[in-house]
Structures are given as C-alpha cells and as structure tokens.
Amino acid sequence: MKDFGYGDFQDILSGVDAALASAPIDSARIGLTGWSYGGYMTMWGVTQTNRFKAAVAGAGIMNWQSYYGENDIDQWMIPFFGKSVYDDPDVYAKSAPITFIKQTKTPTLVVVGDSDGECPTPQSYEFWHALKTLGVETQLVVYDHEGHMFASPKHQRDVTQRMLAWFNAHLQ
C-alpha cells in the first residue's frame, strides 16, 4: 500500500540479478517488457534505471493522477494508494513514471489499443511524447479498434513482430 512501483520493481531487479548469477546472460543486453501492470512496470523501470538497453511498454500507465479520471476501473486504486487522487495527489505522483521521466535513456517501443478502457491510450501517448521530447529513441503504435486485450490475430502478431524487431535492433 502506498508503495506502487518501488517494492515490486525491486522484486523485478532481484529476479534479473538471480538470473544473471545462475545463467550465461549478457548483462549489457537485457530488455524489459510488459503489458497492463507490466506496461506500467516497464514505464516505471526505464525511469528508475538505465540497466535495460531496450524496452517495450504495452498498455501501460504513465501518470496515476490523470489515469484516475481516464479509466473505467478506478475503484481498485483506493486500497492500494490509501485515498482517492483528489484526497492525496502526492501519493499518486510518487509512483508515476512522469515524475521521473527526465532520467529515462532507454529506447522504448510503446504499443496500445485505441479503445482501451483499462489503460487508456492517452497514457501511452503521454509517455511516448515525453520520451520523444527528451530525445529518447521511441516509437508509438496505436492499434485501431483494440481494447485492453487485443482481439485481432493480425494485431497480436504485429505486436509480437514489432517487439522482436525492437529487441533485435537494440540488444544485438
């Protein structure tokens, strides 16, 4: 509670460290990706460390304060943040990638559906726009008529192909 991004990202980094310690992994060629909460963790992760050489953020959350008024599912947030965004905006800002965006250097592909009510498109657009403005290599792909989970096999395949191409281009 009131710790979104912090403890969970330390868990991710601990997992990466454990994998590096037990397998022949090149630490200079590690990528980060996720969808939904994982998309948020990807956006959060690249604002917290430059350890990852490439990232793909799918349907993520950039700004918890604006997200609160944009999504279709805001009631889940109160138990995790302690109060509504209107009662405690600072706790939401503390866990928002936008708060730390200027630290980002990781090339990041951003993908989202244009009809996503759970992680609305403006969140991805805001992240992409910030990266672009700051000179971080980025690309935004918005898929027509897709919600939070993509229904079109063509779009599912396209996301996978773009992700593989992004990682191949940046982790070689």
Side-chain angles (χ1 to χ4, degrees), residues 65-70 74 83-90 92:
Q65 291 176 319
S66 61
Y67 173 78
Y68 194 90
E70 291 175 350
D74 63 353
K83 295 182 179 180
S84 79
V85 72
Y86 312 118
D87 294 321
D88 190 1
D90 292 342
Y92 288 80

Side-chain angles (χ1 to χ4, degrees), residues 133-148:
T133 301
L134 295 170
V136 177
E137 184 181 353
T138 188
Q139 182 180 15
L140 172 67
V141 182
V142 180
Y143 292 86
D144 290 338
H145 311 295
E146 292 289 3
H148 193 59

Side-chain angles (χ1 to χ4, degrees), residues 27-163:
S27 63
R29 295 174 54 208
I30 298 175
L32 180 63
T33 189
W35 196 273
S36 189
Y37 185 75
Y40 158 68
M41 289 307 299
T42 300
M43 291 175 176
W44 177 256
V46 299
T47 69
Q48 301 301 302
T49 182
N50 293 318
R51 185 172 182 181
F52 300 99
K53 302 306 175 205
V56 178
I61 298 163
M62 163 66 155
N63 182 339
W64 289 110
Q65 291 176 319
S66 61
Y67 173 78
Y68 194 90
E70 291 175 350
N71 73 82
D72 294 338
I73 56 169
D74 63 353
Q75 290 306 302
W76 71 265
M77 299 169 75
I78 294 172
F80 288 96
F81 286 96
K83 295 182 179 180
S84 79
V85 72
Y86 312 118
D87 294 321
D88 190 1
D90 292 342
V91 74
Y92 288 80
K94 172 186 151 196
S95 293
I98 191 153
T99 303
F100 306 97
I101 195 67
K102 290 184 91 175
Q103 299 171 178
T104 308
K105 305 287 184 242
T106 306
T108 305
L109 170 64
V110 183
V111 294
V112 67
D114 71 349
S115 302
D116 192 335
E118 294 177 41
C119 295
T121 310
Q123 292 292 312
S124 292
Y125 181 82
E126 185 175 356
F127 186 71
W128 166 80
H129 185 268
L131 295 180
K132 184 178 163 199
T133 301
L134 295 170
V136 177
E137 184 181 353
T138 188
Q139 182 180 15
L140 172 67
V141 182
V142 180
Y143 292 86
D144 290 338
H145 311 295
E146 292 289 3
H148 193 59
M149 301 303 291
F150 285 14
S152 164
K154 178 183 173 186
H155 290 160
Q156 293 170 354
R157 190 170 34 259
D158 189 71
V159 168
T160 301
Q161 290 170 341
R162 285 178 189 272
M163 180 171 54

